[in-house]
Amino acid sequence: MAASSNTVVISQSIFQDAAKSRDAALLIDHLRNQPLDQDQAEELADLVRRSGALIYQRPDVIGQHKRDSFLADLRKYLLEAKELLDLRSFDDAVRTITIAEDGFHRILAFLARSEFAGRPADVRAAAIVARMEANLRAFTADMEAQLRSAGTFSMPGGAAFRDANGQFASSDSVISGMVESLGGTLLMEGYANGWFDPKKGWLVLPILQPVIDADILLAGQSEYLSTSWRRWARLCDVARYMNSPIYALEGERLPTGCPEEVTLVYAREKDCEIVDYVANERAVDREGINALKLAVETSIVAKAKGIVGPVALAPAEWVSPEEAQNMLALSEMVGYEVLDDQERPGGLRLAQWVRGFTVLSEWVKSRAAEDLTGVLHIPQADLLALLQRGSLSASEAQTFLDATSFGRKSRDLFDTPIVRTAGEWLLVSAPLTAPRLSKIIPSLLSSMKIQLKRKGSAFEKRVIELLKKHEFDAKTVKVTRDGAEYEYDVLFPWGEYVFHFECKNHGLSCNDPMAAHHFLEEIASGVKQVQRLRGGLEKWPDILTDKFGPEVSGKPVISCILQNETYCIPGGADGVYVYDWSALGRFFESGWLHVMHDHKMPMNAIFRNRVGVKRIWSGDDRPMPDDLITQFEEPSQFRITAHHLEIRQGSFQIDDTTIGTDWFLLRHPITTASMAESLGVPAEAIESQIAKVDAEILALKSRLADEGISD
C-alpha cells in the first residue's frame, strides 16, 4: 500500500489489475469508496507514472489505444468527481509514459532502417556473437598494454584505465556495458524473429555459422542501438521512480553544440541518487575486504579442488577460494549461514546455486588461457556432466541450467549467462570471470518471482552479540501497553544516553532505480516504526527502568535504523539515524581509520602496511557514546566513498535526429592523499610513513629473492 498524508490509500493490487486489463471501471469503483482529495489525486499520478504495465516498448496500435482510453477515463472521473483538483501531476505522469514510448519506438525504427537489419537473421545472430568475441579480445589486449605501462589498479572497480577520450574508467564498467549490450541486442533479434521457446521463454538462436568481417562490422549498428536502448530505459526508470522528469528540448531550446541534424533532445535535470550509489559501492568494498581476509587468514586456497574430478558440496570440499568468498558474501547479505540452510528456493539450496555458478566460472577460467573470447561454445550434455561433477544431481543440474538460460524474462546475462542455440550452447564468459553471487543469486530468484528469505531475527542476534562482546548490557525488549505491543530489537544504555536500534535486512538496489525507490519506501516505513516506538518510551519510561534500573531514567534515547546492508544516511531521516552493520562493527574494532597496502611475500605470506589516517575515538583506549553519534551524523565510510564520486553527463543516439542525455556517477580510485582529504586531515605525513614502510617491505622481498626465496 502507498500511503498519502490523510492515511487514505489506493490499493496497489486493484490498480495493477485495472491497469493490466485496461478496466477503468474497476479502479473507479474502488476510488468511489474513498474520500477524493488532492492527496489521492497525487497518489494516483504516482501509480500511473510507475506502472510498467502502461508502457509499450514495442508499437502496438490496439494496445496503446486501449491504454489511452483507460487513462482518459481516469482523468475524466477525477475532473467530474471533485472540483478544483490540480491534475498537473496526473498529466505529467501520462506525459512521461508518452515520452518513454517515443524513445523506445524511435530506436526500433532506426534499427529497422539500418544496413545490418537487411542481412539474413541467422547471419545477424552469428555476427552479434562474433562481435562480442572480438570486442572483448581487443579490450583485453588494450587493458594489458595500459597495465604494463602504468600498473594502476582501482579496488573496487577492477583495473583502472583511460578510454578513447583519455578519461578514467574502470574495467568492470566497460565489460558490464559490453555484456548488457550483447544481451539487449540478442533480445531485439529474439523479438524480431520469434526465437523464444513458447513455454519457457528461453532465447534459442539458430545454429551459428561463420561470418565475414563485413557482417561483424555491421553488427556494430545493432550493438550501438542496444546500448541506446539500455540507457534510454534507465533514463525512463529514473524519471518514473525518482521523480526526475524528462524534458523534450526542440527549436530554440536545443542545447548549444548539438549536431546540425539533431532536432530533438530528451534530457533531465542534473541529479543523481548519491546515498543509494554509495551503499552499493560500499557493498563491493565489503566483499573485497572479506575475500582478502578469507584468503589471508584461512587455508582455503590450498583446500580448493577445482573441477577436474568430482567435488563434494561445501563445506566438505570447495571448488575454489571464490566459492568460499561468495558463500560468505551471500551469508552476510541474507543474515544467516547459507551452508546450514536447507530450504530450496527455485528448486536448489542456496549453497547449490553458489556451486553451480562456481563450476561454470571455473570452467570459463580454465579455458581462458587457450581461448580468450567473450563467448564459449559447449554442448548441453557437457554442461550437465560438469554440474554433476560438482555434486548436483541430474535433475538439480537441469534445474540450474533451465534457470540460468537467457530469455525474455531474464534481467541480464549476469544472472543467466547461458544462451541456447539449435546446436552447441553458448556461455558468455565475462559475467562468469568473477561473479558477485550475493547480487546475482537474489536477482535471479527475484526474476523467478521468488523473494529470498532474509532473517531479521538472526541479524538482531548478531547485533546483540557484538554489543555484549564490548561489554554493553544490550537487550531485546517486548512489552504491551494499553493493549498495544511495543517490540524493541536492541536497547542498551551507554553513558548519558540510551541507544535504540531497529534492525533491518532489506536488499540493496544494485543501482536499479525501481529497487532504489522501494528501498526508500522501506526506510520511510522504518522511520515511522521507530518514531512510534520512541513515543512509547517517552509515554512509559518504566519500559526502560524495568529493564535497566532507575539510573537510566530521563536519559535521552538515540534512535537508529541499523541496516544489515551497507546503507547509511548522513544525519538520518526525520529525527531517526540510519546506520549500517559494517560501519558499526568497524567503529568498535579500532579507534583509527587506516590506509592499508598489502604485499604478497614468499610462501603465500601477506605483509600488511597499515597507517592511521584519522582517529574516530575520543577515549584513550575505547570509544565514547558521542563518538558513535558523530559517526551517525557523518559516517566516515560514506564520506570517503562520496568524496571520490563525480557527476557526469553523457549523451546517446536515439535515431538520426534525436539524442538523449542523462547524468551518471563515476567513482575515482582512492589514494592515500584523497582518503586523507575526504576525512579532512593533512596527507603528507601519512604518505611519507606508508611509502617508507612499503620501501622496506619491497627491499626485504628483493633480498629474499636474491637468496632464492620467491613466490
Side-chain angles (χ1 to χ4, degrees):
M1 296 282 195
S4 63
S5 61
N6 63 358
T7 72
V8 174
V9 295
I10 299 173
S11 166
Q12 291 196 24
S13 62
I14 292 177
F15 175 85
Q16 290 299 339
D17 288 345
K20 290 175 181 177
S21 63
R22 308 298 188 245
D23 187 353
L26 172 66
L27 181 56
I28 290 171
D29 285 345
H30 171 63
L31 296 175
R32 285 196 177 109
N33 293 324
Q34 307 179 53
L36 179 63
D37 59 14
Q38 190 62 45
D39 286 333
Q40 194 179 53
E42 296 293 328
E43 183 185 348
L44 183 60
D46 286 342
L47 291 171
V48 168
R49 185 174 65 251
R50 293 169 185 152
S51 175
L54 297 176
I55 297 178
Y56 287 88
Q57 293 186 341
R58 291 165 177 80
D60 182 338
V61 174
I62 295 176
Q64 289 171 262
H65 175 72
K66 290 181 178 179
R67 185 271 321 279
D68 292 344
S69 297
F70 169 78
L71 293 173
D73 288 345
L74 288 183
R75 193 180 196 282
K76 181 181 178 183
Y77 165 75
L78 293 175
L79 281 175
E80 294 176 351
K82 188 177 182 67
E83 295 182 1
L84 303 178
L85 279 182
D86 185 347
L87 298 185
R88 284 178 294 180
S89 293
F90 185 90
D91 293 339
D92 286 344
V94 174
R95 189 177 302 111
T96 297
I97 292 172
T98 303
I99 288 174
E101 284 184 353
D102 182 63
F104 288 125
H105 296 177
R106 283 174 181 268
I107 292 170
L108 289 173
F110 194 33
L111 177 62
R113 297 193 299 269
S114 70
E115 185 179 353
F116 184 64
R119 304 295 293 140
D122 59 338
V123 172
R124 293 200 305 269
I128 289 165
V129 173
R131 185 172 179 86
M132 172 63 177
E133 295 173 339
N135 283 347
L136 189 64
R137 195 176 292 115
F139 172 76
T140 302
D142 182 49
M143 190 74 246
E144 289 177 348
Q146 291 198 39
L147 286 177
R148 281 194 296 270
S149 63
T152 303
F153 282 87
S154 169
M155 294 300 293
F161 78 105
R162 299 284 173 177
D163 62 19
N165 299 317
Q167 297 293 322
F168 165 79
S170 80
S171 59
D172 281 4
S173 63
V174 174
I175 291 173
S176 293
M178 290 183 186
V179 172
E180 289 169 358
S181 293
L182 174 64
T185 308
L186 291 176
L187 285 178
M188 285 181 176
E189 290 293 340
Y191 280 109
N193 299 290
W195 285 342
F196 295 107
D197 181 279
K199 292 183 178 180
K200 300 294 187 178
W202 301 313
L203 176 70
V204 183
L205 299 178
I207 294 176
L208 302 182
Q209 304 293 342
V211 289
I212 60 176
D213 289 345
D215 286 328
I216 296 175
L217 183 64
L218 284 177
Q221 298 171 351
S222 181
E223 177 187 66
Y224 181 81
L225 289 175
S226 170
T227 301
S228 295
W229 182 280
R230 173 169 52 86
R231 295 179 68 178
W232 177 251
R234 178 172 178 80
L235 176 59
C236 293
D237 283 349
V238 171
R240 292 168 57 220
Y241 289 102
M242 295 301 172
N243 200 21
S244 181
I246 301 171
Y247 301 103
L249 307 177
E250 301 176 272
E252 295 181 353
R253 298 180 65 205
L254 283 171
T256 57
C258 271
E260 185 176 337
E261 66 274 13
V262 172
T263 60
L264 173 63
V265 173
Y266 283 125
R268 66 180 182 89
E269 297 292 340
K270 182 178 181 179
D271 182 43
C272 289
E273 182 51 58
I274 292 177
V275 171
D276 180 74
Y277 188 89
V278 167
N280 285 283
E281 288 295 295
R282 287 185 54 220
V284 180
D285 292 355
R286 181 174 70 173
E287 286 190 22
I289 291 168
N290 287 343
L292 180 61
K293 185 176 181 180
L294 190 69
V296 171
E297 298 180 1
T298 72
S299 57
I300 189 63
V301 175
K303 291 181 179 178
K305 290 196 63 175
I307 55 172
V308 176
V311 189
L313 276 176
E317 292 180 323
W318 299 94
V319 167
S320 66
E322 289 75 20
E323 181 178 32
Q325 292 158 9
N326 275 300
M327 208 77 76
L328 174 63
L330 188 57
S331 296
E332 285 279 341
M333 190 274 290
V334 296
Y336 56 90
E337 181 53 66
V338 166
L339 286 171
D340 296 336
D341 188 41
Q342 298 300 312
E343 293 195 16
R344 302 175 73 87
L348 299 174
R349 291 175 52 211
L350 288 178
Q352 291 176 311
W353 285 111
V354 173
R355 171 56 59 89
F357 277 104
T358 304
V359 166
L360 297 189
S361 177
E362 283 301 295
W363 185 80
V364 164
K365 286 186 279 190
S366 72
R367 293 282 303 275
E370 60 189 70
D371 193 357
L372 185 62
T373 180
V375 182
L376 299 169
H377 298 245
I378 183 171
Q380 178 187 3
D382 289 359
L383 270 175
L384 283 167
L386 192 64
L387 291 166
Q388 288 178 69
R389 278 208 305 275
S391 288
L392 270 63
S393 69
S395 62
E396 289 168 343
Q398 191 62 59
T399 295
F400 181 84
L401 293 181
D402 289 350
T404 54
S405 293
F406 187 63
R408 62 178 166 225
K409 296 180 181 179
S410 300
R411 292 195 171 168
D412 53 40
L413 283 164
F414 288 91
D415 292 2
T416 51
I418 297 170
V419 180
R420 300 184 179 214
T421 81
E424 290 187 328
W425 288 7
L426 310 177
L427 264 183
V428 184
S429 63
L432 292 165
T433 302
R436 286 187 60 212
L437 299 184
S438 63
K439 171 183 175 182
I440 289 171
I441 291 173
S443 175
L444 173 63
L445 293 173
S446 177
S447 70
M448 299 160 62
K449 309 301 182 186
I450 298 169
Q451 291 303 314
L452 194 55
K453 179 183 65 177
R454 290 166 173 267
K455 292 186 178 177
S457 58
F459 177 38
E460 294 164 21
K461 183 179 178 182
R462 281 200 298 168
V463 175
I464 294 282
E465 289 173 350
L466 172 71
L467 293 169
K468 286 185 177 296
K469 174 184 173 183
H470 292 282
E471 301 179 350
F472 292 107
D473 184 18
K475 298 176 181 178
T476 295
V477 175
K478 184 176 181 179
V479 298
T480 300
R481 293 290 187 275
D482 286 354
E485 188 175 275
Y486 292 81
E487 185 170 0
Y488 301 84
D489 290 347
V490 181
L491 288 169
F492 66 101
W494 187 13
E496 296 305 309
Y497 307 99
V498 173
F499 285 82
H500 166 213
F501 291 163
E502 282 302 304
C503 302
K504 303 298 179 183
N505 194 5
H506 307 302
L508 293 178
S509 73
C510 298
N511 295 310
D512 175 73
M514 180 175 67
H517 165 73
H518 291 317
F519 196 98
L520 287 174
E521 287 187 322
E522 296 285 359
I523 292 289
S525 175
V527 166
K528 290 180 180 179
Q529 177 193 8
V530 170
Q531 289 171 337
R532 173 186 174 272
L533 291 170
R534 185 166 57 195
L537 295 177
E538 292 169 354
K539 187 173 183 180
W540 295 288
D542 62 291
I543 294 175
L544 290 175
T545 55
D546 284 353
K547 297 295 181 181
F548 300 104
E551 60 270 22
V552 301
S553 179
K555 289 187 176 182
V557 175
I558 306 299
S559 299
C560 176
I561 295 174
L562 188 67
Q563 299 283 348
N564 182 48
E565 295 279 15
T566 49
Y567 191 102
C568 60
I569 301 177
D574 294 335
V576 176
Y577 290 119
V578 181
Y579 203 54
D580 65 86
W581 166 252
S582 177
L584 183 69
R586 175 63 188 80
F587 172 80
F588 284 115
E589 183 180 295
S590 171
W592 283 89
L593 296 173
H594 297 92
V595 62
M596 294 180 291
H597 287 186
D598 287 334
H599 297 263
K600 186 178 179 182
M601 303 296 284
M603 302 175 66
N604 290 321
I606 300 290
F607 278 17
R608 171 164 290 173
N609 180 8
R610 189 172 79 157
V611 175
V613 176
K614 183 175 182 177
R615 186 162 179 81
I616 58 174
W617 291 357
S618 58
D620 292 336
D621 58 355
R622 66 184 60 194
M624 297 289 108
D626 284 320
D627 298 333
L628 183 56
I629 295 172
T630 297
Q631 290 301 306
F632 288 169
E633 290 285 348
E634 290 189 284
S636 296
Q637 290 83 355
F638 184 95
R639 289 179 63 183
I640 294 168
T641 306
H643 181 79
H644 293 83
L645 299 182
E646 176 189 354
I647 298 180
R648 285 188 181 177
Q649 187 177 35
S651 61
F652 54 95
Q653 188 173 18
I654 294 175
D655 64 14
D656 42 7
T657 62
T658 311
I659 63 173
T661 65
D662 198 8
W663 299 94
F664 63 95
L665 287 164
L666 174 71
R667 184 178 181 183
H668 291 280
I670 296 176
T671 66
T672 303
S674 65
M675 180 179 176
E677 182 179 274
S678 71
L679 295 170
V681 298
E684 292 77 9
I686 302 167
E687 289 182 306
S688 175
Q689 176 65 16
I690 202 162
K692 177 184 175 183
V693 178
D694 276 348
E696 292 172 354
I697 294 173
L698 292 173
L700 173 61
K701 188 173 183 179
S702 178
R703 289 197 301 274
L704 292 173
D706 291 342
E707 296 172 10
I709 305 173
S710 63
D711 296 341

